Amino acid sequence: MNLLKKENIFHDIKKLKGVGSVLSKYLKRKRIEKIKDIILNLPYSETDRSKISKLNELEIGKIQSVKVLVKKLNFPRVRNLPNKITCEDDTGQIDVVYFNSREGYIRKIFPINKWVIISGKINFFKNKYQISNPEYVTGLENQDYVIKSIPKYNLTKGINEKKYRSISEQVIKNLPLIDEWLDGAFIKNNKLLNWNEAIKKLHESNDAKNVKSQSYRRLVFDEICANLLTLSENRKRIKRKKIPKIFNGTLSDQIVRKLPFNLTKSQEKVLNEINSDLKNSKRMFRILQGDVGSGKTIVSFLSIANVLENNYQCALMAPTEILSLQHFSLAQKIFKRIDIRIEHLTGKTNYSKRKKILEDLSKGKINFLIGTHSLFQKKIEFKNLGYVIIDEQHKFGVKQRSDLAKKGGQNCDLLLMSATPIPRTMMMSLYGDMDISKINEKPSIRKKIITLSKPEKKIDQLWPYIKKNLNIQNQIFWVCPLINESKFLDYSSAKKRFDLINRHFPKETGLIHGALDKEEREKVLNKFLKKEINILVSTTVIEVGIDFPNANLIVIENANKFGLAQLHQLRGRVGRGAEQGVCILLYKEVLSKNSIKRLKILKNSDDGFYIAEEDLKLRGFGDLIGYQQSGLKNFRFADPLIHEDLFRLADGFIKKIEQNGIEKYNFLLKLFDKAEIINVEDIT
Ligand code: ADP
Ligand code: MG
């Protein structure tokens, strides 16, 4: 056979022999679309067919290989009876049975009085060994193909092991000689393997099961490099020259003087960082991180004031209608008596108002536009957009960030804000393309939320407490567990809880759940904001970022189902005013040692970043909020906990090579589907 050509690796899987449109559809379910995906689809185990067993030494229930003489074929004419082939060796007999097979086919692969190799699972039926529908039957001349350890892949309906093997071997046995992007010394010094060797080993030995094997680590290193290289390239493309913003801060000072509080040191520090980016001759591409309630909004508004002072237009985008509305009313308050025009635009804005806004925007008559993602539709044109801020952006991947930067234009600075606590280990691989500002203290007037736990059995003890809260005008969140993915089950559990609470507090209670669409959800949320209802039962995580100044109690059911970081974000929904916030965690079962440990962390700290780090140590990445659910989990092989050293190694490596062109790494980028993100030309 011929080696594949390098460029063919990126061709459609249908280019391989035996893959038609039906099979390619099944393969697609396993994320196998291009030939290179076969390379990345690692075996999870292997089937040992390497030993030829005598018929008197077979083990029932095991997959085994035998060498037997075909004695008799039996094709019953009765429906539902299987075709049966009787075979023997010098120690005994075995029946091979086939359901739904054609006679012609059977006759072909079982020639009477010839020796064949059969490999399959051994059964015992009516006092006799039996194999039904064996994976392999072949003449002796092909026995080398079967008598060996054969890698086992995670397959789906429509593809059996043998079929998949015939496809994957076309690739793995004929890997192209690629231009290795790591030099030999580097590979050796860091105990990695060269690429071709690593891939072969991953498919043809047990290495794929061992995340610490040299070959697996090589793949991990490649994956991290592809990721970091993409970020680095993205950064280069975004951080280009721009016209520096010029301002004295008069407007911003004026606002600060009127604030009912002093900025925290941390707020001042990040504001300085942002302002110096604005004044810089390169575009700002920065993320502002700060725990819930750390006061990111006012920081962003103060920086906006500076850009407005320089007569550029600004845009602020929030993930939901309600949040954007809150920002809008705050902006109106803050910029009152200052001669700028602020508008609010969302998907709900009616036609004529929208038209007017678009018109005025393009003429530069609107200075500051606040809204949802509809701010960035194609039709919307700014006259001189100078600054874009995205609030609670944790659903933005690199691709979206890069698209966004393009939309803003070359003089537009870009700030993202996020309350998602990302552990240090992940920062570089998620936001390596951005500059980072961090608010690490909270306004001192804010009281630390009191966190309590209670067994669910004692739920009845809560009613008087809730009554007391309602009497003093406190509002209450009641979060039901996400039992599983099923919207229906989540709904029914929340509905049941709602019914119970509603019985205790009729007319005070509302319900939102996953089956409601965004609009209906916002309707209920609005009722809650307006205090038409005062207890909100919900399944979904309550919209991040919305200020509910009167919500001071949150009850979280089945709390051990949530990650700590998530619990922390949830409880951050309450106690945002000067009142004491309380969070009650309900537990179904007796708490395990580990749960008690976790609870302690949560009770003792209100630092989301610290909590996220601790959570990571205890539970791994699976439960980190904003990690799994948000599409941030962009590693297939690398695990930041296990491969931390490789992350560091890759970081150093990328820093050394990033000044060079990326042509040398095109293959790598395409292998991990990164090329499209940064528009690498086809290498063919
Ligand atoms: P987040 O960082 O979660 O977006 P917000 O910006 O919504 O937090 O701020 C939460 C609340 O804290 C707001 O009501 C805001 O007015 C208030 N706040 C912001 N900064 C301070 C401060 N330095 N001192 C007191 N309160 C503040
Ligand atoms: Mg916020």
Side-chain angles (χ1 to χ4, degrees), residues 260-264 267 290-299 327 330 391-392 417 419 439 442-446 545 547 573 576-577:
F261 50 73
N262 294 323
L263 293 180
T264 62
Q267 283 172 314
D291 208 351
V292 278
S294 61
K296 296 183 287 297
T297 320
I298 189 66
V299 169
H327 286 333
L330 184 63
D391 193 14
E392 304 296 354
M417 300 198 286
I439 304 186
K442 282 189 196 164
S444 53
I445 59 145
R446 191 84 30 82
D547 230 359
R573 304 292 99 222
R576 285 165 79 90

PDB file of all heavy atoms in Angstrom, residues 260-264 267 290-299 327 330 391-392 417 419 439 442-446 545 547 573 576-577, ligand 1:
ATOM      1  N   PRO A 260     -22.306  57.051  45.596  1.00  0.00           N
ATOM      2  CA  PRO A 260     -22.580  56.959  47.032  1.00  0.00           C
ATOM      3  C   PRO A 260     -21.533  56.109  47.763  1.00  0.00           C
ATOM      4  O   PRO A 260     -21.692  55.818  48.933  1.00  0.00           O
ATOM      5  CB  PRO A 260     -23.956  56.285  47.070  1.00  0.00           C
ATOM      6  CG  PRO A 260     -24.034  55.504  45.818  1.00  0.00           C
ATOM      7  CD  PRO A 260     -23.218  56.238  44.796  1.00  0.00           C
ATOM      8  N   PHE A 261     -20.500  55.678  47.067  1.00  0.00           N
ATOM      9  CA  PHE A 261     -19.462  54.875  47.726  1.00  0.00           C
ATOM     10  C   PHE A 261     -18.103  55.223  47.137  1.00  0.00           C
ATOM     11  O   PHE A 261     -18.012  55.900  46.117  1.00  0.00           O
ATOM     12  CB  PHE A 261     -19.745  53.380  47.546  1.00  0.00           C
ATOM     13  CG  PHE A 261     -20.026  52.968  46.126  1.00  0.00           C
ATOM     14  CD1 PHE A 261     -19.004  52.911  45.185  1.00  0.00           C
ATOM     15  CD2 PHE A 261     -21.332  52.642  45.725  1.00  0.00           C
ATOM     16  CE1 PHE A 261     -19.259  52.524  43.875  1.00  0.00           C
ATOM     17  CE2 PHE A 261     -21.594  52.272  44.413  1.00  0.00           C
ATOM     18  CZ  PHE A 261     -20.556  52.210  43.488  1.00  0.00           C
ATOM     19  N   ASN A 262     -17.063  54.798  47.828  1.00  0.00           N
ATOM     20  CA  ASN A 262     -15.714  54.929  47.270  1.00  0.00           C
ATOM     21  C   ASN A 262     -15.362  53.675  46.503  1.00  0.00           C
ATOM     22  O   ASN A 262     -15.735  52.572  46.913  1.00  0.00           O
ATOM     23  CB  ASN A 262     -14.689  55.122  48.385  1.00  0.00           C
ATOM     24  CG  ASN A 262     -14.898  56.443  49.093  1.00  0.00           C
ATOM     25  OD1 ASN A 262     -15.244  57.445  48.465  1.00  0.00           O
ATOM     26  ND2 ASN A 262     -14.720  56.421  50.408  1.00  0.00           N
ATOM     27  N   LEU A 263     -14.606  53.862  45.439  1.00  0.00           N
ATOM     28  CA  LEU A 263     -14.140  52.677  44.715  1.00  0.00           C
ATOM     29  C   LEU A 263     -13.176  51.897  45.604  1.00  0.00           C
ATOM     30  O   LEU A 263     -12.445  52.475  46.397  1.00  0.00           O
ATOM     31  CB  LEU A 263     -13.401  53.086  43.443  1.00  0.00           C
ATOM     32  CG  LEU A 263     -14.230  53.746  42.349  1.00  0.00           C
ATOM     33  CD1 LEU A 263     -13.327  54.080  41.154  1.00  0.00           C
ATOM     34  CD2 LEU A 263     -15.378  52.855  41.906  1.00  0.00           C
ATOM     35  N   THR A 264     -13.193  50.593  45.463  1.00  0.00           N
ATOM     36  CA  THR A 264     -12.203  49.801  46.192  1.00  0.00           C
ATOM     37  C   THR A 264     -10.844  49.979  45.512  1.00  0.00           C
ATOM     38  O   THR A 264     -10.768  50.380  44.350  1.00  0.00           O
ATOM     39  CB  THR A 264     -12.555  48.302  46.185  1.00  0.00           C
ATOM     40  OG1 THR A 264     -12.547  47.836  44.836  1.00  0.00           O
ATOM     41  CG2 THR A 264     -13.926  48.053  46.796  1.00  0.00           C
ATOM     42  N   GLN A 267     -10.726  48.090  42.339  1.00  0.00           N
ATOM     43  CA  GLN A 267     -11.444  48.739  41.239  1.00  0.00           C
ATOM     44  C   GLN A 267     -10.572  49.832  40.621  1.00  0.00           C
ATOM     45  O   GLN A 267     -10.490  49.969  39.403  1.00  0.00           O
ATOM     46  CB  GLN A 267     -12.770  49.334  41.727  1.00  0.00           C
ATOM     47  CG  GLN A 267     -13.871  48.303  41.922  1.00  0.00           C
ATOM     48  CD  GLN A 267     -15.115  48.892  42.582  1.00  0.00           C
ATOM     49  OE1 GLN A 267     -15.015  49.624  43.580  1.00  0.00           O
ATOM     50  NE2 GLN A 267     -16.282  48.582  42.031  1.00  0.00           N
ATOM     51  N   GLY A 290     -13.770  39.388  37.846  1.00  0.00           N
ATOM     52  CA  GLY A 290     -14.070  39.786  39.211  1.00  0.00           C
ATOM     53  C   GLY A 290     -15.247  38.982  39.703  1.00  0.00           C
ATOM     54  O   GLY A 290     -16.206  38.749  38.975  1.00  0.00           O
ATOM     55  N   ASP A 291     -15.153  38.549  40.910  1.00  0.00           N
ATOM     56  CA  ASP A 291     -16.183  37.732  41.508  1.00  0.00           C
ATOM     57  C   ASP A 291     -17.541  38.449  41.443  1.00  0.00           C
ATOM     58  O   ASP A 291     -17.590  39.672  41.289  1.00  0.00           O
ATOM     59  CB  ASP A 291     -15.798  37.512  42.977  1.00  0.00           C
ATOM     60  CG  ASP A 291     -16.350  36.210  43.505  1.00  0.00           C
ATOM     61  OD1 ASP A 291     -17.158  35.576  42.796  1.00  0.00           O
ATOM     62  OD2 ASP A 291     -15.981  35.841  44.626  1.00  0.00           O
ATOM     63  N   VAL A 292     -18.604  37.687  41.564  1.00  0.00           N
ATOM     64  CA  VAL A 292     -19.929  38.305  41.594  1.00  0.00           C
ATOM     65  C   VAL A 292     -19.967  39.371  42.678  1.00  0.00           C
ATOM     66  O   VAL A 292     -19.525  39.140  43.798  1.00  0.00           O
ATOM     67  CB  VAL A 292     -21.062  37.293  41.883  1.00  0.00           C
ATOM     68  CG1 VAL A 292     -21.453  36.565  40.629  1.00  0.00           C
ATOM     69  CG2 VAL A 292     -20.652  36.308  42.959  1.00  0.00           C
ATOM     70  N   GLY A 293     -20.496  40.530  42.304  1.00  0.00           N
ATOM     71  CA  GLY A 293     -20.649  41.593  43.290  1.00  0.00           C
ATOM     72  C   GLY A 293     -19.379  42.388  43.556  1.00  0.00           C
ATOM     73  O   GLY A 293     -19.341  43.215  44.460  1.00  0.00           O
ATOM     74  N   SER A 294     -18.346  42.162  42.779  1.00  0.00           N
ATOM     75  CA  SER A 294     -17.100  42.890  43.033  1.00  0.00           C
ATOM     76  C   SER A 294     -17.125  44.292  42.415  1.00  0.00           C
ATOM     77  O   SER A 294     -16.220  45.085  42.628  1.00  0.00           O
ATOM     78  CB  SER A 294     -15.903  42.101  42.507  1.00  0.00           C
ATOM     79  OG  SER A 294     -16.014  41.903  41.122  1.00  0.00           O
ATOM     80  N   GLY A 295     -18.179  44.588  41.670  1.00  0.00           N
ATOM     81  CA  GLY A 295     -18.350  45.939  41.143  1.00  0.00           C
ATOM     82  C   GLY A 295     -17.668  46.183  39.806  1.00  0.00           C
ATOM     83  O   GLY A 295     -16.986  47.189  39.605  1.00  0.00           O
ATOM     84  N   LYS A 296     -17.901  45.285  38.879  1.00  0.00           N
ATOM     85  CA  LYS A 296     -17.305  45.446  37.552  1.00  0.00           C
ATOM     86  C   LYS A 296     -18.026  46.521  36.741  1.00  0.00           C
ATOM     87  O   LYS A 296     -17.409  47.245  35.966  1.00  0.00           O
ATOM     88  CB  LYS A 296     -17.332  44.115  36.779  1.00  0.00           C
ATOM     89  CG  LYS A 296     -16.502  43.024  37.419  1.00  0.00           C
ATOM     90  CD  LYS A 296     -16.483  41.755  36.592  1.00  0.00           C
ATOM     91  CE  LYS A 296     -17.790  40.977  36.619  1.00  0.00           C
ATOM     92  NZ  LYS A 296     -18.153  40.476  37.958  1.00  0.00           N
ATOM     93  N   THR A 297     -19.347  46.615  36.950  1.00  0.00           N
ATOM     94  CA  THR A 297     -20.133  47.503  36.104  1.00  0.00           C
ATOM     95  C   THR A 297     -19.674  48.954  36.191  1.00  0.00           C
ATOM     96  O   THR A 297     -19.477  49.615  35.170  1.00  0.00           O
ATOM     97  CB  THR A 297     -21.629  47.432  36.485  1.00  0.00           C
ATOM     98  OG1 THR A 297     -21.963  46.080  36.762  1.00  0.00           O
ATOM     99  CG2 THR A 297     -22.493  47.947  35.370  1.00  0.00           C
ATOM    100  N   ILE A 298     -19.481  49.403  37.410  1.00  0.00           N
ATOM    101  CA  ILE A 298     -19.116  50.815  37.556  1.00  0.00           C
ATOM    102  C   ILE A 298     -17.740  51.078  36.938  1.00  0.00           C
ATOM    103  O   ILE A 298     -17.501  52.110  36.324  1.00  0.00           O
ATOM    104  CB  ILE A 298     -19.187  51.272  39.039  1.00  0.00           C
ATOM    105  CG1 ILE A 298     -19.008  52.791  39.129  1.00  0.00           C
ATOM    106  CG2 ILE A 298     -18.181  50.577  39.911  1.00  0.00           C
ATOM    107  CD1 ILE A 298     -20.146  53.563  38.501  1.00  0.00           C
ATOM    108  N   VAL A 299     -16.850  50.104  37.075  1.00  0.00           N
ATOM    109  CA  VAL A 299     -15.535  50.229  36.434  1.00  0.00           C
ATOM    110  C   VAL A 299     -15.696  50.407  34.925  1.00  0.00           C
ATOM    111  O   VAL A 299     -15.090  51.288  34.318  1.00  0.00           O
ATOM    112  CB  VAL A 299     -14.661  48.980  36.724  1.00  0.00           C
ATOM    113  CG1 VAL A 299     -13.412  48.979  35.857  1.00  0.00           C
ATOM    114  CG2 VAL A 299     -14.287  48.924  38.193  1.00  0.00           C
ATOM    115  N   HIS A 327     -28.456  47.572  33.011  1.00  0.00           N
ATOM    116  CA  HIS A 327     -27.307  48.406  32.654  1.00  0.00           C
ATOM    117  C   HIS A 327     -27.769  49.739  32.079  1.00  0.00           C
ATOM    118  O   HIS A 327     -27.199  50.786  32.356  1.00  0.00           O
ATOM    119  CB  HIS A 327     -26.419  47.687  31.629  1.00  0.00           C
ATOM    120  CG  HIS A 327     -25.609  46.571  32.220  1.00  0.00           C
ATOM    121  ND1 HIS A 327     -25.218  46.537  33.534  1.00  0.00           N
ATOM    122  CD2 HIS A 327     -25.096  45.445  31.664  1.00  0.00           C
ATOM    123  CE1 HIS A 327     -24.512  45.440  33.753  1.00  0.00           C
ATOM    124  NE2 HIS A 327     -24.428  44.759  32.639  1.00  0.00           N
ATOM    125  N   LEU A 330     -29.013  52.029  34.808  1.00  0.00           N
ATOM    126  CA  LEU A 330     -27.875  52.520  35.581  1.00  0.00           C
ATOM    127  C   LEU A 330     -27.118  53.590  34.793  1.00  0.00           C
ATOM    128  O   LEU A 330     -26.753  54.646  35.338  1.00  0.00           O
ATOM    129  CB  LEU A 330     -26.935  51.357  35.930  1.00  0.00           C
ATOM    130  CG  LEU A 330     -25.745  51.723  36.820  1.00  0.00           C
ATOM    131  CD1 LEU A 330     -26.241  52.220  38.178  1.00  0.00           C
ATOM    132  CD2 LEU A 330     -24.812  50.538  37.012  1.00  0.00           C
ATOM    133  N   ASP A 391     -20.450  42.042  28.687  1.00  0.00           N
ATOM    134  CA  ASP A 391     -20.611  41.640  30.086  1.00  0.00           C
ATOM    135  C   ASP A 391     -20.896  40.143  30.178  1.00  0.00           C
ATOM    136  O   ASP A 391     -21.578  39.587  29.333  1.00  0.00           O
ATOM    137  CB  ASP A 391     -21.766  42.428  30.711  1.00  0.00           C
ATOM    138  CG  ASP A 391     -21.772  42.299  32.232  1.00  0.00           C
ATOM    139  OD1 ASP A 391     -20.768  41.841  32.799  1.00  0.00           O
ATOM    140  OD2 ASP A 391     -22.792  42.666  32.842  1.00  0.00           O
ATOM    141  N   GLU A 392     -20.395  39.532  31.220  1.00  0.00           N
ATOM    142  CA  GLU A 392     -20.646  38.112  31.489  1.00  0.00           C
ATOM    143  C   GLU A 392     -20.457  37.284  30.232  1.00  0.00           C
ATOM    144  O   GLU A 392     -21.370  36.637  29.742  1.00  0.00           O
ATOM    145  CB  GLU A 392     -22.078  37.921  32.023  1.00  0.00           C
ATOM    146  CG  GLU A 392     -22.400  38.724  33.251  1.00  0.00           C
ATOM    147  CD  GLU A 392     -21.569  38.323  34.467  1.00  0.00           C
ATOM    148  OE1 GLU A 392     -20.815  37.336  34.397  1.00  0.00           O
ATOM    149  OE2 GLU A 392     -21.658  39.032  35.471  1.00  0.00           O
ATOM    150  N   MET A 417     -16.012  41.162  30.294  1.00  0.00           N
ATOM    151  CA  MET A 417     -16.106  41.082  31.758  1.00  0.00           C
ATOM    152  C   MET A 417     -16.668  39.726  32.144  1.00  0.00           C
ATOM    153  O   MET A 417     -17.602  39.242  31.518  1.00  0.00           O
ATOM    154  CB  MET A 417     -17.033  42.175  32.288  1.00  0.00           C
ATOM    155  CG  MET A 417     -16.549  43.573  31.939  1.00  0.00           C
ATOM    156  SD  MET A 417     -17.304  44.816  32.974  1.00  0.00           S
ATOM    157  CE  MET A 417     -18.952  44.880  32.293  1.00  0.00           C
ATOM    158  N   ALA A 419     -17.483  36.910  35.553  1.00  0.00           N
ATOM    159  CA  ALA A 419     -17.450  36.535  36.963  1.00  0.00           C
ATOM    160  C   ALA A 419     -17.115  35.059  37.102  1.00  0.00           C
ATOM    161  O   ALA A 419     -17.078  34.523  38.192  1.00  0.00           O
ATOM    162  CB  ALA A 419     -18.786  36.820  37.625  1.00  0.00           C
ATOM    163  N   ILE A 439     -10.236  41.962  39.619  1.00  0.00           N
ATOM    164  CA  ILE A 439     -10.659  42.630  40.850  1.00  0.00           C
ATOM    165  C   ILE A 439     -10.623  41.578  41.940  1.00  0.00           C
ATOM    166  O   ILE A 439     -11.314  40.576  41.844  1.00  0.00           O
ATOM    167  CB  ILE A 439     -12.100  43.175  40.738  1.00  0.00           C
ATOM    168  CG1 ILE A 439     -12.219  44.118  39.542  1.00  0.00           C
ATOM    169  CG2 ILE A 439     -12.515  43.876  42.024  1.00  0.00           C
ATOM    170  CD1 ILE A 439     -13.571  44.801  39.453  1.00  0.00           C
ATOM    171  N   LYS A 442     -13.809  42.778  47.530  1.00  0.00           N
ATOM    172  CA  LYS A 442     -15.198  43.198  47.383  1.00  0.00           C
ATOM    173  C   LYS A 442     -15.450  44.457  48.185  1.00  0.00           C
ATOM    174  O   LYS A 442     -14.756  44.721  49.156  1.00  0.00           O
ATOM    175  CB  LYS A 442     -16.121  42.087  47.866  1.00  0.00           C
ATOM    176  CG  LYS A 442     -16.251  41.002  46.842  1.00  0.00           C
ATOM    177  CD  LYS A 442     -17.324  40.020  47.223  1.00  0.00           C
ATOM    178  CE  LYS A 442     -17.116  38.776  46.374  1.00  0.00           C
ATOM    179  NZ  LYS A 442     -17.822  37.631  46.886  1.00  0.00           N
ATOM    180  N   PRO A 443     -16.456  45.247  47.774  1.00  0.00           N
ATOM    181  CA  PRO A 443     -16.784  46.441  48.557  1.00  0.00           C
ATOM    182  C   PRO A 443     -16.954  46.064  50.020  1.00  0.00           C
ATOM    183  O   PRO A 443     -17.586  45.060  50.332  1.00  0.00           O
ATOM    184  CB  PRO A 443     -18.122  46.901  47.963  1.00  0.00           C
ATOM    185  CG  PRO A 443     -18.132  46.361  46.587  1.00  0.00           C
ATOM    186  CD  PRO A 443     -17.341  45.093  46.620  1.00  0.00           C
ATOM    187  N   SER A 444     -16.381  46.892  50.903  1.00  0.00           N
ATOM    188  CA  SER A 444     -16.342  46.480  52.306  1.00  0.00           C
ATOM    189  C   SER A 444     -17.701  46.519  52.988  1.00  0.00           C
ATOM    190  O   SER A 444     -17.907  45.869  53.998  1.00  0.00           O
ATOM    191  CB  SER A 444     -15.347  47.350  53.064  1.00  0.00           C
ATOM    192  OG  SER A 444     -15.665  48.707  52.826  1.00  0.00           O
ATOM    193  N   ILE A 445     -18.650  47.279  52.420  1.00  0.00           N
ATOM    194  CA  ILE A 445     -19.956  47.316  53.080  1.00  0.00           C
ATOM    195  C   ILE A 445     -20.699  45.990  52.916  1.00  0.00           C
ATOM    196  O   ILE A 445     -21.610  45.676  53.656  1.00  0.00           O
ATOM    197  CB  ILE A 445     -20.879  48.424  52.518  1.00  0.00           C
ATOM    198  CG1 ILE A 445     -21.102  48.217  51.018  1.00  0.00           C
ATOM    199  CG2 ILE A 445     -20.354  49.795  52.823  1.00  0.00           C
ATOM    200  CD1 ILE A 445     -22.500  48.613  50.574  1.00  0.00           C
ATOM    201  N   ARG A 446     -20.269  45.233  51.910  1.00  0.00           N
ATOM    202  CA  ARG A 446     -20.950  43.981  51.637  1.00  0.00           C
ATOM    203  C   ARG A 446     -20.723  42.994  52.758  1.00  0.00           C
ATOM    204  O   ARG A 446     -19.603  42.687  53.138  1.00  0.00           O
ATOM    205  CB  ARG A 446     -20.400  43.416  50.318  1.00  0.00           C
ATOM    206  CG  ARG A 446     -21.149  42.253  49.741  1.00  0.00           C
ATOM    207  CD  ARG A 446     -22.364  42.621  48.895  1.00  0.00           C
ATOM    208  NE  ARG A 446     -22.266  43.897  48.205  1.00  0.00           N
ATOM    209  CZ  ARG A 446     -21.630  44.058  47.076  1.00  0.00           C
ATOM    210  NH1 ARG A 446     -21.015  43.060  46.513  1.00  0.00           N
ATOM    211  NH2 ARG A 446     -21.624  45.230  46.499  1.00  0.00           N
ATOM    212  N   GLY A 545     -25.487  37.876  36.858  1.00  0.00           N
ATOM    213  CA  GLY A 545     -25.273  39.304  36.681  1.00  0.00           C
ATOM    214  C   GLY A 545     -26.430  40.222  37.024  1.00  0.00           C
ATOM    215  O   GLY A 545     -26.224  41.386  37.288  1.00  0.00           O
ATOM    216  N   ASP A 547     -28.988  42.227  39.027  1.00  0.00           N
ATOM    217  CA  ASP A 547     -29.028  42.722  40.390  1.00  0.00           C
ATOM    218  C   ASP A 547     -30.445  42.568  40.940  1.00  0.00           C
ATOM    219  O   ASP A 547     -31.376  43.187  40.442  1.00  0.00           O
ATOM    220  CB  ASP A 547     -28.647  44.218  40.369  1.00  0.00           C
ATOM    221  CG  ASP A 547     -27.567  44.515  41.393  1.00  0.00           C
ATOM    222  OD1 ASP A 547     -27.152  43.589  42.110  1.00  0.00           O
ATOM    223  OD2 ASP A 547     -27.141  45.683  41.465  1.00  0.00           O
ATOM    224  N   ARG A 573     -26.162  35.523  44.129  1.00  0.00           N
ATOM    225  CA  ARG A 573     -27.391  36.195  43.691  1.00  0.00           C
ATOM    226  C   ARG A 573     -28.036  36.972  44.832  1.00  0.00           C
ATOM    227  O   ARG A 573     -28.876  37.813  44.609  1.00  0.00           O
ATOM    228  CB  ARG A 573     -28.439  35.200  43.156  1.00  0.00           C
ATOM    229  CG  ARG A 573     -28.047  34.284  42.048  1.00  0.00           C
ATOM    230  CD  ARG A 573     -27.806  35.018  40.774  1.00  0.00           C
ATOM    231  NE  ARG A 573     -26.394  35.224  40.583  1.00  0.00           N
ATOM    232  CZ  ARG A 573     -25.854  36.339  40.145  1.00  0.00           C
ATOM    233  NH1 ARG A 573     -26.600  37.354  39.855  1.00  0.00           N
ATOM    234  NH2 ARG A 573     -24.563  36.443  39.988  1.00  0.00           N
ATOM    235  N   ARG A 576     -26.866  41.372  47.810  1.00  0.00           N
ATOM    236  CA  ARG A 576     -26.133  42.335  47.000  1.00  0.00           C
ATOM    237  C   ARG A 576     -26.341  43.768  47.475  1.00  0.00           C
ATOM    238  O   ARG A 576     -25.612  44.659  47.090  1.00  0.00           O
ATOM    239  CB  ARG A 576     -26.492  42.186  45.520  1.00  0.00           C
ATOM    240  CG  ARG A 576     -25.838  40.960  44.914  1.00  0.00           C
ATOM    241  CD  ARG A 576     -26.453  40.588  43.599  1.00  0.00           C
ATOM    242  NE  ARG A 576     -25.983  41.418  42.495  1.00  0.00           N
ATOM    243  CZ  ARG A 576     -24.930  41.136  41.752  1.00  0.00           C
ATOM    244  NH1 ARG A 576     -24.213  40.072  42.017  1.00  0.00           N
ATOM    245  NH2 ARG A 576     -24.581  41.906  40.748  1.00  0.00           N
ATOM    246  N   GLY A 577     -27.347  43.963  48.326  1.00  0.00           N
ATOM    247  CA  GLY A 577     -27.526  45.277  48.924  1.00  0.00           C
ATOM    248  C   GLY A 577     -26.754  45.324  50.233  1.00  0.00           C
ATOM    249  O   GLY A 577     -25.767  44.613  50.404  1.00  0.00           O
TER     250      GLY A 577
HETATM  251  P1  ADP B   1     -20.531  42.524  39.363  1.00  0.00           P
HETATM  252  O1  ADP B   1     -19.049  42.647  39.464  1.00  0.00           O
HETATM  253  O2  ADP B   1     -21.032  41.210  39.848  1.00  0.00           O
HETATM  254  O3  ADP B   1     -21.051  42.867  38.002  1.00  0.00           O
HETATM  255  P2  ADP B   1     -21.896  44.908  40.076  1.00  0.00           P
HETATM  256  O4  ADP B   1     -21.097  45.792  39.227  1.00  0.00           O
HETATM  257  O5  ADP B   1     -23.260  44.545  39.606  1.00  0.00           O
HETATM  258  O6  ADP B   1     -21.100  43.579  40.391  1.00  0.00           O
HETATM  259  O7  ADP B   1     -21.952  45.545  41.530  1.00  0.00           O
HETATM  260  C1  ADP B   1     -22.730  44.997  42.538  1.00  0.00           C
HETATM  261  C2  ADP B   1     -23.235  46.072  43.458  1.00  0.00           C
HETATM  262  O8  ADP B   1     -22.153  46.642  44.178  1.00  0.00           O
HETATM  263  C3  ADP B   1     -23.904  47.215  42.727  1.00  0.00           C
HETATM  264  O9  ADP B   1     -25.094  47.514  43.392  1.00  0.00           O
HETATM  265  C4  ADP B   1     -22.903  48.348  42.824  1.00  0.00           C
HETATM  266  O10 ADP B   1     -23.532  49.592  42.842  1.00  0.00           O
HETATM  267  C5  ADP B   1     -22.211  48.061  44.121  1.00  0.00           C
HETATM  268  N1  ADP B   1     -20.832  48.555  44.198  1.00  0.00           N
HETATM  269  C6  ADP B   1     -19.926  48.588  43.206  1.00  0.00           C
HETATM  270  N2  ADP B   1     -18.745  49.086  43.643  1.00  0.00           N
HETATM  271  C7  ADP B   1     -18.915  49.378  44.949  1.00  0.00           C
HETATM  272  C8  ADP B   1     -18.060  49.925  45.973  1.00  0.00           C
HETATM  273  N3  ADP B   1     -16.786  50.249  45.719  1.00  0.00           N
HETATM  274  N4  ADP B   1     -18.582  50.086  47.202  1.00  0.00           N
HETATM  275  C9  ADP B   1     -19.858  49.733  47.450  1.00  0.00           C
HETATM  276  N5  ADP B   1     -20.706  49.231  46.563  1.00  0.00           N
HETATM  277  C10 ADP B   1     -20.248  49.043  45.314  1.00  0.00           C
END
